[in-house]
């Protein structure tokens, strides 16, 4: 058989390519083409390769492109099987006068014909050819060779067919196809556009696995696309805007791509565009903002102007979409604009190294205020039937980001919306599994769910906690939150989240947002303890909360890296104990004793005596664990000291317990070992408050303090109240 005959046989694959356009019934095909049936019989009865070649050639001549249907293709496969194509793909010897790739081309053509049947495309004999097929994409050869081009087309047809099967993307990724496609695209040889199209499909189907298997190659493609984007002057720049989000990695966008991406976006967004041209650019910018924050925007005048432009455009888009009732909202675009507004909020509230100058911040805050007003207007119209829609969740998220930083503006509108927010948060809390699904859908609106950067929390309540923390300080909003049942909801939420951090759970895999959420809940409860003490006493949910705090603190104070959360729990528990002092749970029970012992541990370990070079006397200094976070901790520590002082006269068993812990003795010993000049007045006041109440409450405490040179120490530090108390019998 000649080389030309082999090439003709290869056209069988081309017949298969057109099969989907025309699939007549098998009996009709048989009645029109009985010759085909005879040739299929000859193909089935072939005893060697030469006979199979001949039969394939006859079948090819009997079948016109477009006339072969799925059932006929299957009959050809039944006649040929996989053994013959397998040998064609792996043979290294071609007939005389034929290039060495001709046999492989015929084998690929047969596979392409078979793969048009989805059942055959997922056959193990096709799947195990993936590594071989992938090598054909990057094989060197004459770029003008028609047979080679045909083989490349057939290879893409096979791989595309496999990708369309349920588990096909996984097999392609494991077979090295992603790297081969990247190299084929970067080589810009024949079929490179097909390589890009197949890459897009694989990334859409299995992004994480693609990056895990072929990160260096995908980054090379991203760099190439970024450079093309920066250089593009024609309509291709808008097409690249659509493609680039798919090629942003789940880890971090390479810094070398930042300049090209920003420059390309600046050129697009700085022009007068129609919405179909502008919207993909906004979505790409949102992906970059979500992945990199503002790191991809250059420092300096050009960067600040670009960021201001981004936020301006986003706010205008949000207002246009949400202010006019009855207009169709492009939810994916508006969600992308929300991400850009979040970036604006972050930069406007950043004190150091902000890209924006103060006048720009003032201007942007004013513009974002108007956009947030539009978001509130939209949310006020959301009925119960829409509460589970992802776009509502995204709208609550941006409002939560705004309220975390700004509650004084739009005060009336926010108060008007609070009942809806409480009901919405409660609905999603009670259906937590669906809420997580909503969060995923929100991510899919405009940004990839695996993109790095701040996460999209799966519950609306966590989004609202910072804003509610500010609002519970104010009388009006606090009363609305209480009336709508927010405190009870917050208690339930806190207890649920606390379970995630309890023994038996791997806290190392928890996102930081869980612990931050717990701390913010504590801050809200602290506000309520101070401003609404009657609520704490009468609402049963706070009794449950107190019990959890008491049982949890002893183990929490022992855990490394969780001191700030322990401080919140200890201080909140001490303040609540003052209000709930008559509760049976606080009458010297094991849980209450364990809690106060842990609280004493937290309060007592904050400061140590530290020697100073050239001085005989040590100074009072922060202990190492407290030193790095004292700025966040000190207010809680002083409040905890004050709350402990208030608990002593209310709980008769507490002073003897403190004495057994040796806290008063060790405190006096610490003060006696350091220079009084190194102890700040507010520290002296806090220490004296605790020592005085313990001395007044218990005679044994007074005696222990006297034995520890308490009167002398009190005199040195001018603690008049303590000195007087210790001088009494």
């Amino acid at each position: 058989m000649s080389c030309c005959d082999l090439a003709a046989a290869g056209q069988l694959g081309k017949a298969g390519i057109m099969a989907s356009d025309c699939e007549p019934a098998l009996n009709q095909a048989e009645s029109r083409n009985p010759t085909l049936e005879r040739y299929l019989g000859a193909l089935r009865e072939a005893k060697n390769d030469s006979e199979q070649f001949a039969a394939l050639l006859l079948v090819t001549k009997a079948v016109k492109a477009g006339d072969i249907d799925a059932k006929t293709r299957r009959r050809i496969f039944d006649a040929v099987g996989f053994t013959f194509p397998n040998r064609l793909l792996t043979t290294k010897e071609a007939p005389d006068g034929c290039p060495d790739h001709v046999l492989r081309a015929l084998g690929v053509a047969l596979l392409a014909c078979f793969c048009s049947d989805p059942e055959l495309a997922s056959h193990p004999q096709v799947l195990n050819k993936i590594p071989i097929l992938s090598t054909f994409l990057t094989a060197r050869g004459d770029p003008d060779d028609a047979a080679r081009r045909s083989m490349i087309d057939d290879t893409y047809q096979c791989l595309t067919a496999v990708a369309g099967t349920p588990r096909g993307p996984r097999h392609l990724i494991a077979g090295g196809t992603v790297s081969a496609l990247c190299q084929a695209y970067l080589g810009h040889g024949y079929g490179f556009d097909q390589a890009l199209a197949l890459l897009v499909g694989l990334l859409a189907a299995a992004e994480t696995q693609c990056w895990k298997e072929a990160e260096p190659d995908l980054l090379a493609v991203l760099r190439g696309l970024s450079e093309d984007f920066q250089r593009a002057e024609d309509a291709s720049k808008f097409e690249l805007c659509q493609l680039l989000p798919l090629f942003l990695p789940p880890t971090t966008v390479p810094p070398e791509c930042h300049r090209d991406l920003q420059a390309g976006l600046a050129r697009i967004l700085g022009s007068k565009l129609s919405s179909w041209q502008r919207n993909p650019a906004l979505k790409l910018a949102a992906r970059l903002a979500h992945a990199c924050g503002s790191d991809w925007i250059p420092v300096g005048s050009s960067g600040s102007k670009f960021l201001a432009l981004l936020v301006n455009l986003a706010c205008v888009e949000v207002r246009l979409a949400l202010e006019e009732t009855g207009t169709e909202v492009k939810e994916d675009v508006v969600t992308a604009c929300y991400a850009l507004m979040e970036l604006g909020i972050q930069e406007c509230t950043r004190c150091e190294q902000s890209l924006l100058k103060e006048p720009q911040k003032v201007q942007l805050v004013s513009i974002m205020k108007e956009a947030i007003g539009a978001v509130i207007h939209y949310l006020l119209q959301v009925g119960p039937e829409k509460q589970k829609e992802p776009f509502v969740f995204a709208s609550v998220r941006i409002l939560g980001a705004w309220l975390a930083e700004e509650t004084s503006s739009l005060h009336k509108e926010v108060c008007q919306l609070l009942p809806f927010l409480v009901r919405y948060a409660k609905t999603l809390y009670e259906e937590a599994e669906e809420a997580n699904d909503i969060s995923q859908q929100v991510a899919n609106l405009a940004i990839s769910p695996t993109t790095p950067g701040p996460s999209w929390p799966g519950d609306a309540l966590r989004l609202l906690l910072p804003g509610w923390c500010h609002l519970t300080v104010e009388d009006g909003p606090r009363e609305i939150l209480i009336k709508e049942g927010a405190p009870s909801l917050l208690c339930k939420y806190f207890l649920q989240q606390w379970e995630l951090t309890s023994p038996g759970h791997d806290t190392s895999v928890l996102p930081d947002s869980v612990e931050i959420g717990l701390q913010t809940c504590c801050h809200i409860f602290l506000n309520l303890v101070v401003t609404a003490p009657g609520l704490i006493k009468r609402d049963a949910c706070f009794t449950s909360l107190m019990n959890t705090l008491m049982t949890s603190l002893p183990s929490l104070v022992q855990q490394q890296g969780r001191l700030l959360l322990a401080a919140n729990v200890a201080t909140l528990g001490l303040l609540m104990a003052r209000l709930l002092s008559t509760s049976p749970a606080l009458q010297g029970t094991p849980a209450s004793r364990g809690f106060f012992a842990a609280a004493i541990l937290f309060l007592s370990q904050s400061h140590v005596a530290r020697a100073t070079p050239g001085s005989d006397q040590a100074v009072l200094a922060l202990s190492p664990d407290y030193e790095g976070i004292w700025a966040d901790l000190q207010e809680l520590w002083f409040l905890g000291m004050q709350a402990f002082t208030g608990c002593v006269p209310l709980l008769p068993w507490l002073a003897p317990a403190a004495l057994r812990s040796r806290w008063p003795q060790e405190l006096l010993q610490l003060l006696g070992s350091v220079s009084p000049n190194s102890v700040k007045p507010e520290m002296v006041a806090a220490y004296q408050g605790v020592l005085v109440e313990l001395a007044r409450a218990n005679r044994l405490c007074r005696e222990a303090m006297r034995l520890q040179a308490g009167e002398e120490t009190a005199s040195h530090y001018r603690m008049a109240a303590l000195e007087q108390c210790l001088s009494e019998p």
Side-chain angles (χ1 to χ4, degrees):
M1 181 169 289
S2 70
C3 182
C4 294
D5 290 338
L6 289 173
Q11 295 304 308
L12 185 62
K14 303 304 173 289
I17 293 173
M18 302 299 295
S20 60
D21 299 328
C22 180
E23 294 194 353
L26 178 61
N27 57 353
Q28 293 175 332
E30 289 176 348
S31 63
R32 288 201 311 265
N33 200 347
T35 304
L36 173 62
E37 293 306 308
R38 290 201 308 273
Y39 293 161
L40 286 174
L43 186 59
R44 284 191 296 271
E45 295 170 4
K47 296 181 176 59
N48 54 48
D49 289 351
S50 296
E51 291 182 8
Q52 283 192 312
F53 276 130
L56 275 173
L57 179 60
L58 292 173
V59 169
T60 302
K61 291 180 178 179
V63 177
K64 296 179 181 179
D67 286 344
I68 184 171
D69 62 15
K71 292 182 179 179
T72 304
R73 274 197 311 272
R74 189 58 185 250
R75 297 187 67 189
I76 295 172
F77 165 74
D78 291 339
V80 177
F82 280 113
T83 303
F84 183 49
N86 288 349
R87 289 205 301 275
L88 291 173
L89 289 172
T90 57
T91 186
K92 296 182 180 179
E93 296 182 3
D96 292 340
C98 287
D100 58 4
H101 63 269
V102 169
L103 293 179
R104 293 195 297 273
L106 178 57
V108 176
L110 287 170
L111 282 183
C113 176
F114 299 157
C115 283
S116 56
D117 181 338
E119 184 178 343
L120 292 179
S122 59
H123 194 284
Q125 286 285 351
V126 171
L127 299 179
N128 66 21
K129 304 298 180 303
I130 290 173
I132 297 175
L133 293 172
S134 297
T135 63
F136 295 163
L137 301 179
T138 56
R140 295 174 180 265
D142 182 359
D144 298 322
D145 187 323
R148 185 175 294 280
R149 289 191 171 201
S150 177
M151 182 175 74
I152 291 174
D153 286 335
D154 289 335
T155 300
Y156 281 118
Q157 184 180 348
C158 291
L159 297 176
T160 302
V162 172
T165 63
R167 305 181 73 178
R170 189 184 72 174
H171 289 292
L172 290 174
I173 294 166
T177 302
V178 176
S179 290
L181 291 170
C182 291
Q183 293 165 27
Y185 173 75
L186 292 170
H188 277 250
Y190 179 77
F192 78 98
D193 52 337
Q194 297 181 71
L196 186 63
L198 187 49
L199 267 178
V200 167
L202 290 177
L203 284 167
E207 180 187 30
T208 302
Q209 292 87 338
C210 285
W211 281 99
K212 183 178 179 181
E213 290 294 327
E215 181 172 342
D217 296 299
L218 286 169
L219 287 176
V221 172
L222 173 61
R223 285 190 286 270
L225 291 173
S226 300
E227 292 170 1
D228 293 344
F229 183 53
Q230 192 274 335
R231 290 193 298 261
E233 297 288 349
D234 55 11
S236 65
K237 61 187 177 184
F238 302 114
E239 298 172 4
L240 286 166
C241 262
Q242 303 269 13
L243 280 176
L244 278 164
L246 293 167
F247 286 88
L248 296 181
T251 50
T252 182
V253 178
E256 59 266 29
C257 296
H258 291 177
R259 183 183 62 84
D260 289 336
L261 293 171
Q262 187 273 332
L265 282 171
R267 189 159 51 248
I268 290 176
L269 295 173
S271 306
K272 189 174 182 180
L273 302 171
S274 60
S275 60
W276 73 267
Q277 294 170 320
R278 181 179 60 253
N279 291 346
L282 290 173
K283 292 166 73 172
L284 173 58
R287 276 291 308 270
L288 289 166
H290 189 69
C292 311
S294 61
D295 292 345
W296 61 288
I297 301 175
V299 176
S301 175
S302 63
S304 64
K305 289 179 181 178
F306 174 72
L307 176 57
L309 173 66
L310 271 184
V311 179
N312 264 292
L313 289 173
C315 290
V316 169
E317 192 71 34
V318 168
R319 291 187 64 188
L320 288 174
L322 302 183
E323 284 183 345
E324 295 184 19
T325 305
T327 59
E328 183 180 355
V329 177
K330 295 179 180 177
E331 296 180 351
D332 58 339
V333 178
V334 177
T335 304
C337 292
Y338 286 165
L340 297 175
M341 286 175 61
E342 277 201 61
L343 179 62
I345 292 170
Q346 292 166 10
E347 286 299 315
C348 284
T349 54
R350 181 180 292 181
C351 298
E352 298 180 359
Q353 297 181 331
S354 174
L355 291 173
L356 299 170
K357 297 178 181 178
E358 202 59 36
Q360 290 175 311
K361 291 182 179 181
V362 173
Q363 184 183 21
L364 285 183
V365 167
S366 176
I367 294 169
M368 287 190 289
K369 174 184 172 182
E370 295 174 349
I372 292 297
V375 174
I376 294 175
H377 171 75
Y378 165 76
L379 290 174
L380 284 170
Q381 302 174 66
V382 172
E385 73 283 356
K386 288 189 174 183
Q387 286 193 9
K388 296 180 183 178
E389 293 184 2
F391 183 66
V392 176
F393 187 91
S395 301
V396 170
R397 174 187 168 88
I398 186 60
L399 178 61
W402 172 265
L403 292 177
E405 305 295 344
E406 174 58 59
T407 56
S408 58
S409 60
L410 300 170
H411 193 271
K412 179 181 177 182
E413 292 84 351
V414 169
C415 288
Q416 188 180 358
L417 187 64
L418 277 179
F420 164 80
L421 293 177
V422 176
R423 291 193 300 271
Y424 179 76
K426 183 178 181 181
T427 298
L428 265 64
Y429 167 77
E430 291 175 347
E431 301 177 13
E433 186 173 340
E434 290 188 35
N436 285 328
D437 183 60
I438 289 174
S439 176
Q440 183 65 50
Q441 293 177 55
V442 170
N444 288 332
L445 282 174
I447 56 178
S448 169
T450 57
T451 303
S455 62
W456 295 75
D459 59 276
L461 193 49
R462 191 179 302 164
L463 307 175
L464 297 168
L465 289 177
W468 286 8
C469 186
H470 298 316
L471 292 170
T472 48
V473 177
E474 305 176 34
D475 293 340
R478 182 176 62 253
E479 289 304 316
I480 296 173
L481 289 169
I482 292 173
K483 180 181 177 182
E484 296 296 330
S488 177
L489 174 61
L490 287 168
C491 284
K492 293 177 183 177
Y493 177 78
F494 181 89
L495 297 177
Q496 179 210 56
Q497 294 291 296
W498 191 263
E499 281 298 311
L500 299 176
T501 69
S502 61
H505 291 80
D506 184 3
T507 57
S508 64
V509 300
L510 288 178
D512 293 340
S513 56
V514 172
E515 190 150 318
I516 293 172
L518 289 170
Q519 292 177 25
T520 310
C521 280
C522 287
H523 294 166
I524 295 174
F525 295 141
L526 286 170
N527 290 341
L528 293 176
V529 167
V530 174
T531 60
L535 175 70
I536 308 299
K537 293 179 180 179
R538 69 174 180 267
D539 198 321
C541 71
F542 287 101
T543 301
S544 299
L545 176 62
M546 185 70 214
N547 290 336
T548 297
L549 298 179
M550 288 196 298
T551 56
S552 303
L553 186 62
S555 62
L556 184 61
V557 294
Q558 304 291 343
Q559 297 175 28
Q560 289 290 326
R562 308 191 72 191
L563 181 56
L564 193 54
L565 180 59
N568 278 277
V569 170
T571 304
L572 175 61
L574 290 169
L575 284 168
M576 289 180 63
R578 287 197 311 181
L579 299 176
L580 302 174
S581 60
T582 59
S583 167
L586 286 163
Q587 306 310 311
T589 61
S592 63
R593 290 180 180 276
F595 169 79
F596 276 94
I600 288 172
L601 195 64
F602 159 66
L603 296 171
S604 65
Q605 292 187 339
S606 62
H607 290 78
V608 294
R610 183 174 297 166
T612 55
S615 175
D616 294 336
Q617 266 194 312
V619 297
L620 188 70
L622 287 166
S623 59
D625 289 341
Y626 289 66
E627 192 169 15
I629 57 172
W630 186 246
D632 298 318
L633 202 63
Q634 61 177 336
E635 186 177 352
L636 290 168
W637 186 87
F638 280 108
L639 196 55
M641 290 288 284
Q642 182 182 350
F644 185 93
T645 300
C647 288
V648 173
L650 298 174
L651 301 172
W653 60 268
L654 184 52
L659 182 62
R660 285 193 295 272
S661 74
R662 294 192 55 79
W663 184 26
Q665 301 96 309
E666 291 173 356
L667 179 51
L668 287 169
Q669 184 180 4
L670 174 65
L671 291 173
S673 65
V674 301
S675 167
N677 292 332
S678 69
V679 185
K680 296 179 180 179
E682 59 268 26
M683 294 293 299
V684 173
Y687 286 147
Q688 178 175 225
V690 169
L691 291 170
V692 166
E693 286 302 329
L694 289 173
R696 287 174 179 169
N698 186 270
R699 177 180 58 82
L700 294 177
C701 279
R702 291 195 295 275
E703 292 178 358
M705 290 182 195
R706 292 191 191 105
L707 292 174
Q708 196 62 51
E711 291 178 276
E712 182 181 351
T713 301
S715 175
H716 285 161
Y717 285 89
R718 298 180 181 179
M719 297 179 177
L722 179 59
E723 191 173 3
Q724 180 180 351
C725 183
L726 293 180
S727 66
E728 297 172 356

